[in-house]
Amino acid sequence: MDLQRVTVLGAGSWGTTFAKVLGDAGRDVTIWARRPEVAAEIRDAGTNGAYLPGVALPSRITATADPAAALDGAEVVVLAVPSQSLRANLTAWRGLLPPEAILVSLAKGVELGTLKRMSEVITEIAGVPDGQVVVVSGPNLAKEIAQEQPSAAVVACADHERAVAVQRACFTGYFRPYTNTDVVGCELGGACKNVIALSCGMAAGLGFGTNTMATLITRGLAETARLGVKLGADPLTFAGLAGVGDLVATCSSPLSRNRTFGERLGRGESVAQAQESVGGQVAEGVKSCTSIRDLASGLGVDMPITDAMHRVCHEGGDPRRLGAELLGRDRKHEWS
Ligand SMILES: NC(=O)c1ccc[n+]([C@@H]2O[C@H](COP(=O)([O-])OP(=O)(O)OC[C@H]3O[C@@H](n4cnc5c(N)ncnc54)[C@H](O)[C@@H]3O)[C@@H](O)[C@H]2O)c1
Ligand SMILES: O=P(O)(O)OC[C@H](O)CO
């Protein structure tokens, strides 16, 4: 399967960066941008200054604000909009999707209300089988990849051949994709790490150091894996790029919007003030802490860090009390 014509729906940080990766891998890419002026800038100047200042996009990339024009003839459709708007966006685009196109999800979140993973939303709205949906996840901070700093990712699909085809389509000298068939594990790893990154940022904002950070990362991974295994994920996925890889990158990097958001809360800012720190961009963990908490509690899975993030982001919880609350829980075995 040689995939040449790719459409990327969403011209934010990661959509534009992944389009660059695809262009550098020799694909013909059309980006759909919500704002016509962003589409015009990408098309005419080869830049997207609002999201990726100073980055030159490959000449194989074009852009439009018209979804029908963007989707015409696409063999691969990459969905690069925020998790909580994916359903509404995809519903609007449903009739325009080429029936055979592989649908690739870049979004890292769990839908509020339905508690569905992004690939579940896509199969439901687009009416396609599981094997037509691919998830790309991993330690992929957009700005670093746009600068062509080396990194790797996972391309997960129930249909191994389609995963291989997408892997080939986005394989460049600076971006190394691996295949996997564990879609559940890859998606949960990506969604949950945003919530754990909020907690690491919060700890940094409170002035805590490396031991606290490592504790949150490790116990965050433990609660993510507990949820994943309950939902049928392969435990090994959490030791891979879409698990610990993405978790460490997001929890450690000042480029992460989720970590930055948490740090501002830790310094005593309100949720509204912290939102300003990420501008118009999305810190997915702020909403996903609620949907993941609801998903876990429905399954009887204990996720104390996620619970705590929900309390701070949505119930007026005080970050300064979190350490005592988390450490003061009942004593237990490390793996129970
Ligand atoms: N930025 C990264 O480093 C990175 C890396 C890996 C994965 N992701 C994930 O990819 C997804 C997209 O992230 P991003 O960084 O491109 O986000 P972003 O906020 O930079 O851009 C989102 C894009 O979606 C568009 N959009 C369309 N409908 C929208 C709506 N109703 N509300 C808001 N925006 C709408 C926006 O115009 C914008 O072009 C997220 O789930 C994120 O977690 C991001
Ligand atoms: O900026 P964040 O916090 O959305 O994180 C970006 C990516 O998901 C890291 O892989």
Side-chain angles (χ1 to χ4, degrees):
M1 218 185 293
D2 190 31
L3 304 167
Q4 189 57 33
R5 297 182 66 177
V6 185
T7 297
V8 177
L9 299 170
S13 303
W14 188 219
T16 308
T17 300
F18 196 65
K20 172 174 157 46
V21 171
L22 291 158
D24 287 341
R27 312 298 137 177
D28 299 317
V29 186
T30 303
I31 300 180
W32 168 84
R34 199 162 47 153
R35 285 178 285 147
E37 62 275 21
V38 173
E41 185 195 332
I42 295 172
R43 204 174 47 235
D44 302 337
T47 57
N48 183 352
Y51 288 97
L52 298 175
V55 174
L57 299 173
S59 56
R60 285 176 172 278
I61 295 183
T62 186
T64 173
D66 175 358
L71 285 163
D72 187 33
E75 294 167 284
V76 181
V77 176
V78 178
L79 299 156
V81 294
S83 304
Q84 305 306 331
S85 68
L86 178 62
R87 176 177 293 272
N89 284 129
L90 199 51
T91 302
W93 298 326
R94 180 168 33 196
L96 306 172
L97 296 170
E100 302 300 320
I102 296 176
L103 306 181
V104 177
S105 170
L106 300 186
K108 293 176 174 175
V110 169
E111 191 176 45
L112 285 164
T114 66
L115 311 184
K116 289 190 174 187
R117 291 175 285 105
M118 295 300 103
S119 67
E120 295 178 297
V121 174
I122 294 168
T123 53
E124 180 199 324
I125 303 297
V128 297
D130 289 354
Q132 210 171 318
V133 179
V134 170
V135 167
V136 175
S137 196
N140 298 151
L141 293 149
K143 285 200 170 66
E144 293 183 6
I145 293 175
Q147 292 165 1
E148 304 186 10
Q149 296 184 27
S151 84
V154 183
V155 174
C157 183
D159 176 346
H160 176 66
E161 295 210 347
R162 285 195 173 99
V164 169
V166 173
Q167 176 189 43
R168 191 180 305 129
C170 65
F171 181 28
T172 72
Y174 58 89
F175 190 77
R176 179 173 174 77
Y178 291 83
T179 58
N180 197 327
T181 49
D182 181 14
V183 173
V184 176
C186 289
E187 284 191 300
L188 287 175
C192 294
K193 63 88 192 182
N194 286 332
V195 179
I196 306 306
L198 283 175
S199 76
C200 285
M202 224 171 270
L206 287 161
F208 299 140
T210 311
N211 293 337
T212 310
M213 227 55 75
T215 299
L216 286 166
I217 290 173
T218 313
R219 293 312 298 166
L221 188 63
E223 69 181 57
T224 301
R226 248 189 331 258
L227 177 65
V229 167
K230 188 81 172 187
L231 287 165
D234 179 348
L236 257 187
T237 299
F238 300 105
L241 290 161
V244 70
D246 197 5
L247 182 65
V248 169
T250 312
C251 291
S252 320
S253 175
L255 291 178
S256 160
R257 296 159 302 187
N258 288 285
R259 188 189 189 283
T260 302
F261 196 106
E263 189 171 344
R264 303 287 282 255
L265 293 178
R267 284 200 226 133
E269 292 186 12
S270 66
V271 170
Q273 287 170 318
Q275 183 57 49
E276 282 168 25
S277 70
V278 294
Q281 298 189 32
V282 65
E284 293 275 25
V286 179
K287 288 183 176 160
S288 283
C289 61
T290 303
S291 48
I292 294 169
R293 177 199 72 148
D294 293 350
L295 183 61
S297 74
L299 293 164
V301 174
D302 188 27
M303 297 190 76
I305 303 172
T306 303
D307 262 351
M309 290 306 102
H310 168 81
R311 286 199 303 280
V312 172
C313 292
H314 303 289
E315 294 179 349
D318 183 347
R320 287 169 301 182
R321 297 177 56 89
L322 287 183
E325 277 174 30
L326 285 169
L327 266 67
R329 290 170 306 120
D330 280 352
R331 291 171 292 121
K332 55 183 272 202
H333 187 282
E334 186 175 17
W335 300 123
S336 64

